[in-house]
């Protein structure tokens, strides 16, 4: 089945992205008079072409994947016509690049370097974990294990969100969490569209989750940076945590994600309690001479 977009022509991620973003714009928002009933939502191809200053034939070829080498000037014009934000523009450039630049060598197994693993284990008061290019959870510290203890699908953020029954209890704003997760995966698809694990993940989620299929078709693009998470943990109750995401310089396809609670808040107290409940037993004291 299709992986990165819903177009029948393999490899036409650009066409899928352009169609999805075109469908989200209303003619009246663009100053275009709307006359009569439209067969499809959003703008027509000829309207986007006019706004971008290119011919309808050229824009059609772009969507259909028959124009493989659009210039930066063309991409900028199309981005302005579709009112793309900075992250969406960056994604547009990635999926519009020549196929030879988008291919990747054989995939290697993602591993977390021992120094990063030790760093995670040294943080006792904050949940932290490392994500791979398909948002696989490659490593977690003890408090992150405790935070996600209720999940069965704990190996990947998308599987946790869309395939695990715990997700709707855990995320107090599940819709927002789901949208954010899919937008982050869509950006990952643009960064590495040849990644076999990502392709397999999108296929699996598309089959098993109608919610995922709907959000994936929207082509939202947003990387994981930092925002508030409204959570509910079965053992300690409601939590409001802020996360920050960092690129691992020694492994650029990996991200370090750290959750924190505002000091002095009930969430901070709850996080401390969670750490206490899941603390490792202290080693038996050695015999003294």
């Amino acid at each position: 089945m299709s992986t990165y977009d819903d177009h029948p022509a393999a490899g036409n991620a650009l066409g899928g992205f352009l169609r999805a973003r075109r469908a989200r714009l209303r003619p009246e928002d663009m100053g275009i008079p709307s006359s009569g009933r439209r067969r499809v939502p959003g703008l027509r191809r000829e309207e986007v072409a006019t706004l971008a200053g290119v011919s309808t034939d050229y824009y059609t070829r772009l969507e259909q994947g028959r124009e493989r080498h659009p210039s930066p000037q063309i991409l900028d014009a199309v981005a302005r016509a579709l009112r793309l934000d900075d992250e969406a523009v960056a994604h547009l450039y990635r999926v519009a690049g020549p196929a030879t630049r988008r291919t990747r060598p054989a995939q290697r197994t993602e591993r977390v370097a021992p120094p990063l693993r030790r760093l995670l284990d040294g943080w006792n008061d904050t949940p932290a974990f490392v994500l791979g290019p398909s948002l696989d959870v490659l490593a977690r510290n003890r408090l992150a294990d405790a935070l996600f203890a209720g999940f069965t699908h704990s190996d990947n953020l998308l599987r946790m969100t869309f395939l695990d029954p715990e997700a709707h209890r855990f995320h107090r704003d599940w819709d927002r969490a789901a949208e954010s997760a899919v937008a982050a995966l869509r950006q990952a698809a643009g960064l590495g569209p040849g990644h076999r694990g990502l392709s397999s993940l999108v296929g699996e989620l598309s089959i098993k989750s109608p919610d995922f299929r709907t959000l994936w078709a929207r082509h939202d693009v947003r990387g994981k940076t930092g925002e508030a998470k409204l959570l509910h943990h079965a053992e300690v109750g409601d939590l409001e945590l802020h996360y920050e995401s960092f690129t691992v310089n020694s492994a650029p396809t990996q991200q370090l994600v750290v959750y924190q609670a505002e000091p002095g808040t009930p969430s901070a107290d709850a996080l401390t309690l969670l750490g206490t409940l899941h603390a490792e037993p202290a080693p038996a004291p050695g015999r003294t001479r």
Side-chain angles (χ1 to χ4, degrees):
M1 66 175 294
S2 177
T3 54
Y4 296 122
D5 74 88
D6 53 2
H7 193 273
N12 188 21
L14 174 60
F17 180 67
L18 293 177
R19 286 192 303 279
R21 301 310 290 249
R22 171 165 62 87
R24 294 170 60 176
L25 295 175
R26 299 187 304 172
E28 54 268 32
D29 293 338
M30 312 298 290
I32 299 173
S34 182
S35 59
R37 184 177 179 180
R38 290 176 172 246
R39 292 184 301 170
V40 294
L43 300 184
R44 299 186 177 102
R45 283 174 175 168
E46 57 267 28
E47 291 168 340
V48 176
T50 298
L51 291 170
V54 299
S55 70
T56 300
D57 177 67
Y58 182 89
Y59 181 78
T60 299
R61 296 202 312 272
L62 205 59
E63 274 201 6
Q64 292 177 344
R66 294 186 290 122
E67 174 53 58
R68 297 290 185 177
H69 303 287
S71 68
Q73 292 80 7
I74 291 292
L75 293 179
D76 287 341
V78 170
R80 287 192 298 270
L82 295 175
R83 295 189 175 181
L84 303 184
D85 60 21
D86 289 344
E87 285 192 294
V89 171
H91 184 74
L92 172 66
Y93 267 82
R94 287 192 294 268
V95 298
T100 53
R101 295 180 58 187
R102 296 205 304 270
T103 56
R104 295 182 60 177
Q107 304 299 321
R108 60 182 179 84
T109 301
E110 290 283 341
R111 301 185 185 279
V112 175
L116 181 55
R117 175 77 259 188
R118 290 194 295 270
L119 178 66
L120 288 179
D121 292 339
W123 287 338
N124 296 317
D125 302 324
T126 184
F129 50 96
V130 179
L131 296 176
S134 302
L135 304 189
D136 293 320
V137 181
L138 303 178
R140 293 189 299 221
N141 66 1
R142 178 181 54 81
L143 197 50
D145 279 336
L147 184 64
F148 299 126
F151 285 88
T152 302
H153 296 280
S154 59
D155 62 328
N156 180 278
L157 289 191
L158 275 295
R159 289 192 184 96
M160 291 171 69
T161 303
F162 289 95
L163 302 184
D164 202 304
E166 177 64 19
H168 285 272
R169 294 187 290 267
F170 183 73
H171 292 287
R172 288 190 278 151
D173 189 349
W174 183 87
D175 288 343
R176 180 180 178 186
E179 290 171 2
S180 177
V182 174
L185 188 68
R186 177 62 78 173
Q187 186 189 51
L191 289 171
H195 194 278
R196 290 195 299 271
L198 197 152
S199 174
S200 175
L201 176 65
V202 171
E204 175 190 3
L205 294 170
S206 297
I207 292 172
K208 297 179 179 179
S209 172
D211 290 322
F212 175 83
R213 287 199 303 272
T214 298
L215 291 173
W216 186 250
R218 284 169 44 174
H219 284 254
D220 289 338
V221 182
R222 186 171 62 256
K224 296 184 74 64
T225 52
E227 62 180 15
K229 289 283 188 181
L230 302 177
L231 310 175
H232 179 82
H233 194 278
E235 293 180 292
V236 298
D238 288 349
L239 292 162
E240 181 174 345
L241 304 179
H242 187 91
Y243 82 83
E244 293 288 343
S245 178
F246 308 91
T247 299
V248 180
N249 288 341
S250 60
T253 61
Q254 296 179 8
Q255 300 176 71
L256 169 64
V257 181
V258 182
Y259 283 20
Q260 290 184 316
E262 186 71 24
T265 63
S267 291
D269 294 338
L271 203 57
T272 299
L273 175 59
L274 182 64
T276 301
L277 293 174
H278 290 263
E280 295 180 355
R287 179 179 297 177
T288 58
R289 292 180 180 268

